[in-house]
Amino acid sequence: MTKNTPPTESTPPSPGEPAGRRRGRPPRTESAGTRDRILTAARGEFSERGYEKTSVRGIAKAAGVDSALVHHYFGTKEQVFEAAIAVAFAPALDAPVAVADGPLEGVGERLTRFVFGVWENPTTRTPLLAIVRSAVNNDTAAAVFRRLIAAQLLRRIAAQVDLPDPELRAELAAAQLVGTAMMRYVIKLEPLASADLEQIIARVAPVVQHHLTDR
Amino acid sequence: MTKNTPPTESTPPSPGEPAGRRRGRPPRTESAGTRDRILTAARGEFSERGYEKTSVRGIAKAAGVDSALVHHYFGTKEQVFEAAIAVAFAPALDAPVAVADGPLEGVGERLTRFVFGVWENPTTRTPLLAIVRSAVNNDTAAAVFRRLIAAQLLRRIAAQVDLPDPELRAELAAAQLVGTAMMRYVIKLEPLASADLEQIIARVAPVVQHHLTDR
């Protein structure tokens, strides 16, 4: 259970930055730079190892800071994970606005194109895959995923739907998209994995639309 | 990397049973009993630890046999996994027959009821969850899942569909079911996780039917 990472390999916190949970007032730029460096390291660690195998100490080491500084800025491992996901998901969190912009009868296609756009792009696919893997394997990671996706994405889409059970509708629409993405990009089931994207969109978008707006 | 499992804790193979890959002719009942014991142990290990953390040695130990005997009956870890899944999936593999029996216009509801029946039952849910987790995390496990689900389940359903792209249709229908199951039973997103099953079936079955039979 013990690891042999030498604790002295980390860089100590910069002078003036508190090493504990106490909220001091570090110089603004220094603080922003360190925070970003920790978040970048956290995304890398979570992507590579998954939630369970990632430790705050490993993140600190990858960022070249002391573990105490990670705790100072973010708190627990769960909170670092949430912050790292929030950054990785930042473009996705604009989706509800983008999707809600425009006529309601095109919402299925806009949402479908948005989701596949994120999955088709290798830069956004890698962190997303890491999040999905962590959420499937670990209850704490699942809870973070749930809070973020449910509260920030699906509820906002549901808010546009003026029909009974808007949240259940948004979730079943998301289920079609999540299931299709899993089978195409993770399980790589054929012919779905190699099918032309437009062919998939043509079949999936009407179903997403149906869930959201059909009586 | 080394584990401290004493190799001497396993029971040696019974007399007359070859310990290598050579196929001998062990007494029929003894052979069936040992094979079943190994499969039961394998299901337990894969369910508890997932594909990556399970070893042939761990399975052998749980079954009270020598590792060589596991190799003799099943071959590699991947092959033990496939055999263990095939047993866990045996009821599901009857689905295409059950689903194909009856009029085509009811196929969406029959398939949806069948899938949720498997997920709602804790006895069948646990091994299924272990398989899904392994497939999401490990490419070898994903390949096994793919062969089994694609070849044995989806292709047979597709064979009933007399329209263009029957396999893509079956996969997109399955994507709605897999995605809904993931969000209800794994991520536990509300309100989907607590929604009445009949309400979900009423919304999902027409979509499954649409994928399979609408032009």
Side-chain angles (χ1 to χ4, degrees), chain A residues 63-209:
Chain A
V65 303
D66 193 86
S67 297
L69 206 59
V70 178
H71 286 300
H72 166 73
Y73 280 116
F74 298 101
T76 63
K77 177 169 110 172
E78 182 178 349
Q79 289 168 315
V80 187
F81 183 68
E82 188 149 2
I85 286 189
V87 173
F89 254 61
L93 297 180
D94 295 335
V97 180
V99 165
D101 262 7
L104 200 62
E105 62 264 33
V107 69
E109 185 171 338
R110 290 200 300 282
L111 185 57
T112 302
R113 286 198 181 277
F114 177 84
V115 168
F116 283 104
V118 172
W119 277 102
E120 287 285 317
N121 178 347
T123 315
T124 41
R125 187 195 305 171
T126 307
L128 194 59
L129 199 51
I131 294 168
V132 169
R133 286 192 163 132
S134 297
V136 167
N137 277 280
N138 181 283
D139 287 342
T140 308
V144 172
F145 186 80
R146 200 158 60 218
R147 275 201 297 276
L148 209 72
I149 302 300
Q152 306 220 28
L153 205 99
L154 296 180
R155 298 253 154 95
R156 289 196 217 167
I157 291 171
Q160 314 290 329
V161 177
D162 191 21
L163 284 168
D165 307 315
E167 291 180 358
L168 190 61
R169 285 168 176 272
E171 287 175 3
L172 291 174
Q176 175 74 67
L177 293 166
V178 166
T180 308
M182 292 281 294
M183 289 171 74
R184 179 174 167 92
Y185 304 106
V186 184
I187 308 294
K188 300 191 178 90
L189 209 59
E190 294 294 355
L192 186 57
S194 308
D196 178 65
L197 187 61
E198 287 301 320
Q199 192 188 6
I200 296 173
I201 290 174
R203 289 190 177 276
V204 167
V207 167
V208 172
Q209 181 76 39

Side-chain angles (χ1 to χ4, degrees), chain A residues 203, chain B residues 161 163-164 169 206-215:
Chain A
R203 289 190 177 276
Chain B
V161 177
L163 284 168
R169 285 168 175 273
V207 167
V208 172
Q209 181 76 39
H210 163 80
H211 280 307
L212 291 174
T213 62
D214 281 7
R215 277 177 192 285

Side-chain angles (χ1 to χ4, degrees), chain B residues 138-159:
Chain B
N138 181 282
D139 287 342
T140 308
V144 172
F145 186 80
R146 199 157 62 219
R147 274 200 297 276
L148 210 72
I149 303 300
Q152 306 220 28
L153 205 99
L154 297 180
R155 297 253 154 96
R156 290 196 215 169
I157 290 170

Side-chain angles (χ1 to χ4, degrees), chain A residues 37-81:
Chain A
R37 210 160 70 235
I38 295 170
L39 273 185
T40 304
R43 270 207 307 286
E45 292 288 301
F46 285 124
S47 292
E48 204 178 307
R49 297 170 203 278
Y51 183 83
E52 290 197 349
K53 288 182 197 156
T54 296
S55 66
V56 166
R57 187 159 60 173
I59 293 168
K61 198 181 165 193
V65 303
D66 193 86
S67 297
L69 206 59
V70 178
H71 286 300
H72 166 73
Y73 280 116
F74 298 101
T76 63
K77 177 169 110 172
E78 182 178 349
Q79 289 168 315
V80 187
F81 183 68

